[in-house]
Amino acid sequence: MNIFRLAGDMTHLFSVLVLLLKIHTIKSCAGVSLKTQELYALVFAARYLDIFTNYISLYNTVMKLIFLGSSFSIVWYMRYHKIVRRSYDKDQDTFRHYFLILPCLLLALLINEKFTFKEVMWTFSLYLEAVAILPQLVLLQRTRNIDNLTGQYVFLLGAYRALYILNWVYRYFTEPHFVHWITWVSGLVQTLLYADFFYYYFQSWKNNQKLHLPA
Amino acid sequence: EVNDDVKDEL
């Protein structure tokens, strides 16, 4: 464990806590894409298949349980909670995320480190996570008013993967044969997808204005 | 040994 990875995990944890806090306290999911949340639940389900068979550390297991629990409960809130679901903007959240799942699965079947079920599912979760934010970014472009909790959520979610890239660089230079191209490329693509969001987020922060993305 | 250390990441 290095500082970049710990910071990345904490940033990721904060992003889901910010979102859960928003949904649980103000009982609203305005501006939040259910499709991105469903993709994330699928990412964690596919990535943490070995949560009970492959014990790494208490930290690792606890964090996996938190990410699984939070992503599925956010999906539950947005789908079934009688108050929260009313604030879900379903005719704006129209990104066909099923068109993301299949290509990621096919790509994972083609490009992976080992052709085993667990490894393919793990690789699938990497590719899917790289594009999971797209429905949310599209929704942000559409909904003019981005409340700052949703803005913070997206920012933290992008920042965590950027910190993970620093972690991979650190591990590459400190651990022999630590080479994982698939993880690195998909992590880089994921972070680049946030590039323009980061730009506008920083601009709004610098000019102390409300965050709004150009149409 | 085969390095599947990256699996220790979340």
Side-chain angles (χ1 to χ4, degrees):
Chain A
M1 175 64 81
N2 59 66
I3 185 66
F4 303 112
R5 193 166 120 216
L6 183 63
D9 289 342
M10 291 304 110
T11 305
H12 193 188
L13 178 66
F14 271 29
S15 74
V16 290
L17 293 183
V18 158
L19 189 55
L20 259 179
L21 185 86
K22 166 188 163 97
I23 291 177
H24 183 74
T25 45
I26 57 177
K27 293 286 182 283
S28 160
C29 64
V32 178
S33 164
L34 173 59
K35 306 204 175 214
T36 285
Q37 298 311 313
E38 288 171 345
L39 290 176
Y40 257 99
L42 187 53
V43 164
F44 292 133
R47 187 172 304 175
Y48 301 153
L49 291 171
D50 58 353
I51 182 171
F52 298 116
T53 57
N54 184 7
Y55 181 79
I56 306 266
S57 69
L58 182 64
Y59 170 82
N60 190 273
T61 304
V62 167
M63 292 296 277
K64 284 177 177 176
L65 289 171
I66 292 173
F67 287 141
L68 281 166
S70 59
S71 58
F72 278 93
S73 52
I74 287 168
V75 169
W76 179 84
Y77 261 115
M78 293 184 69
R79 275 183 170 272
Y80 306 113
H81 189 282
K82 58 187 180 311
I83 302 175
V84 173
R85 63 188 289 190
R86 266 194 254 132
S87 57
Y88 170 49
D89 206 349
K90 76 168 155 304
D91 31 5
Q92 292 266 36
D93 188 16
T94 57
F95 196 100
R96 281 184 289 278
H97 58 326
Y98 296 111
F99 286 12
L100 295 175
I101 297 172
L102 206 60
C104 288
L105 190 55
L106 294 178
L107 194 63
L109 287 166
L110 291 174
I111 305 174
N112 51 61
E113 283 184 5
K114 265 183 310 190
F115 194 73
T116 63
F117 175 73
K118 209 177 83 174
E119 187 67 27
V120 167
M121 290 308 280
W122 183 79
T123 312
F124 164 65
S125 82
L126 274 183
Y127 298 152
L128 191 62
E129 185 186 3
V131 294
I133 197 61
L134 285 174
Q136 179 64 63
L137 291 179
V138 166
L139 183 63
L140 285 185
Q141 304 267 352
R142 288 198 182 135
T143 51
R144 304 308 303 156
N145 64 329
I146 300 168
D147 66 282
N148 43 24
L149 273 175
T150 309
Q152 275 153 10
Y153 163 70
V154 176
F155 172 76
L156 291 166
L157 205 50
Y160 117 80
R161 213 59 177 165
L163 288 164
Y164 251 73
I165 291 174
L166 298 182
N167 151 63
W168 292 324
V169 168
Y170 177 85
R171 292 186 80 174
Y172 175 77
F173 287 111
T174 55
E175 293 171 33
H177 355 283
F178 183 79
V179 177
H180 294 280
W181 289 109
I182 292 177
T183 312
W184 299 345
V185 170
S186 59
L188 189 62
V189 166
Q190 176 172 343
T191 307
L192 292 177
L193 287 178
Y194 287 78
D196 72 331
F197 173 84
F198 282 145
Y199 172 75
Y200 291 110
Y201 193 79
F202 179 68
Q203 292 299 325
S204 76
W205 173 74
K206 196 175 66 173
N207 312 330
N208 198 10
Q209 284 166 347
K210 193 125 177 67
L211 171 67
H212 65 274
L213 303 177
Chain B
E1 84 287 0
V2 175
N3 255 323
D4 66 352
D5 55 354
V6 76
K7 300 298 183 295
D8 70 357
E9 293 182 345
L10 289 169

